[in-house]
């Protein structure tokens, strides 16, 4: 997800430069807002990706380890 967010950020920066050149003030405001959201998402994703698991926190079972809710065997 981080590479895609970096790509989106790069594209938004290029769009913002064009909007400045064309003096599209409303577009600049919208791009700035979107850039803020993208950068927040990048920081959140990086933080969650690098966060170590808590000791004793169970890992999610694989599909092979799970049994159907109706009790049938696979």
């Amino acid at each position: 997800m981080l590479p895609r967010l970096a790509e989106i950020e790069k594209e938004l920066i290029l769009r913002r430069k064009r909007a400045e050149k064309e003096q599209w003030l409303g577009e600049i405001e919208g791009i700035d807002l979107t850039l803020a959201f993208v950068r927040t998402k990048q920081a959140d994703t990086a933080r969650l990706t690098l966060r170590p698991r808590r000791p004793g926190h169970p890992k999610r079972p694989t599909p092979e380890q799970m049994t159907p809710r109706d009790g049938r065997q696979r």
Side-chain angles (χ1 to χ4, degrees):
M1 179 182 271
L2 283 172
R4 178 63 181 137
L5 289 171
E7 184 180 329
I8 291 169
E9 180 184 28
K10 181 180 173 184
E11 291 172 5
L12 285 168
I13 291 169
L14 293 174
R15 283 179 51 195
R16 190 182 192 290
K17 287 179 183 179
R18 175 156 185 226
E20 284 178 341
K21 180 181 175 184
E22 301 290 339
Q23 298 181 351
W24 297 335
L25 302 181
E27 186 73 10
I28 293 169
E29 184 178 343
I31 291 170
D32 286 344
L33 185 60
T34 305
L35 273 169
F37 288 130
V38 167
R39 289 172 176 155
T40 299
K41 184 69 171 178
Q42 283 176 316
D44 291 346
T45 302
R47 181 178 47 82
L48 292 172
T49 301
L50 299 175
R51 182 175 63 179
R53 286 190 175 267
R54 295 180 303 200
H57 188 276
K59 292 184 179 180
R60 187 177 280 185
T62 64
E64 293 79 26
Q65 294 170 329
M66 298 174 70
T67 57
R69 291 181 185 231
D70 61 9
R72 292 182 290 143
Q73 294 295 322
R74 289 186 181 207

